[in-house]
Amino acid sequence: MSKGKPTEVFSGVYLVGGPGLTSPSDCLVYALDGRSEVALVDTGAGRNPERLLSNLEEVGLGGKPLGTVILTHCHVDHIGGLKGILERARPRVVCHKGDLEAIQSGDPQKTASSWYGIRLPEVQVDLVLEGAEEEVKVGETLLLCIHTPGHTPGSISLLWEVPQGRVLFGQDIHGPFMREFGSDLTQWASSMRRLLELKADVLCEGHFGIFQPAREVERFILEQLRENGF
């Protein structure tokens, strides 16, 4: 696999992991510059945590502590790198209670780790989100964590507002939807309508990349709704 180049995709938002950057089995991993600390949105599948952390240095974030890791849902391509990161740094780990048990236990079915041939170790989550919307402090900034069930029971999306615009992290907006995951298409459609209400200027998706400006964000979400019969 050829090595890609981590890059700033919007003001203070960096693409630091994913196929071509860390491992083909990784979701797209984003880093946020909270000025006094850095946050990661997901961790990839865990086959190359060293590269993920070195990519933080490459984009100029290596001098700041990795203070927070937010897990958007329980699937292995999003959480598998957590153990390797925790062996090298001491961030606070955040997830929603709907996926807490699967994340902490490494449940092979709910995390889909059996599909990847990966055995997930047990891990601990420090901050468990329970409400429909909760704010999480990242350095000098705030992230709005929005419960968006449907893909999994504990899926969350994140909204980060900066002077340059509103950035939405909707990691697996596209699905897939399976009984083994606890997927619920009706819940998912409601979640997508909530995301449309946010009028985000940028969407950072977990596998399809970055969409901007706002009309492209709206187009992508509406396209997913239509493809799933809504």
Side-chain angles (χ1 to χ4, degrees):
M1 179 189 68
S2 60
K3 180 184 179 295
K5 184 175 177 60
T7 185
E8 188 173 23
V9 298
F10 195 71
S11 179
V13 178
Y14 300 82
L15 178 60
V16 295
L21 286 168
T22 47
S23 169
S25 56
D26 288 348
C27 70
L28 299 181
V29 180
Y30 300 96
L32 282 66
D33 184 359
R35 297 195 290 276
S36 61
E37 69 173 57
V38 175
L40 279 181
V41 179
D42 291 330
T43 68
R47 291 193 163 121
N48 203 344
E50 298 89 352
R51 174 61 66 187
L52 181 59
L53 293 175
S54 69
N55 283 346
L56 291 178
E57 296 183 6
E58 189 168 335
V59 296
L61 298 177
K64 300 179 182 184
L66 175 56
T68 304
V69 171
I70 299 180
L71 304 175
T72 62
H73 63 288
C74 64
H75 289 157
V76 62
D77 51 327
H78 296 259
I79 71 167
L82 179 60
K83 182 68 172 179
I85 288 171
L86 291 175
E87 289 171 352
R88 297 163 175 83
R90 291 292 177 266
R92 167 186 56 164
V93 181
V94 182
C95 80
H96 192 275
K97 72 174 182 179
D99 280 9
L100 176 66
E101 182 179 356
I103 289 170
Q104 292 198 144
S105 69
D107 182 291
Q109 186 174 41
K110 290 181 180 178
T111 65
S113 60
S114 58
W115 293 9
Y116 287 71
I118 294 173
R119 183 176 179 181
L120 288 173
E122 293 186 1
V123 293
Q124 287 297 122
V125 172
D126 304 299
L127 175 59
V128 180
L129 306 173
E130 299 189 17
E133 295 184 2
E134 294 185 48
E135 289 184 331
V136 171
K137 195 170 187 294
V138 175
E140 312 309 312
T141 66
L142 288 173
L143 265 177
L144 180 64
C145 299
I146 305 163
H147 186 208
T148 48
H151 178 47
T152 69
S155 290
I156 58 174
S157 301
L158 314 173
L159 185 69
W160 198 43
E161 294 196 59
V162 293
Q164 295 84 355
R166 297 159 67 87
V167 185
L168 174 64
F169 299 88
Q171 284 292 73
D172 276 16
I173 278 179
H174 64 283
F177 308 99
M178 300 185 65
R179 180 179 301 174
E180 294 90 338
F181 299 163
S183 300
D184 186 314
L185 271 171
T186 300
Q187 284 188 333
W188 171 82
S190 178
S191 296
M192 294 306 100
R193 295 184 187 108
R194 174 69 186 106
L195 296 186
L196 287 169
E197 292 172 356
L198 299 173
K199 304 294 183 184
D201 299 292
V202 183
L203 168 64
C204 295
E205 220 266 353
H207 296 274
F208 283 80
I210 295 95
F211 297 85
Q212 56 183 314
R215 64 178 178 274
E216 288 300 307
V217 177
E218 181 180 60
R219 180 196 61 76
F220 179 74
I221 297 174
L222 288 173
E223 183 179 87
Q224 301 309 307
L225 282 164
R226 285 193 297 270
E227 288 183 0
N228 286 284
F230 293 95

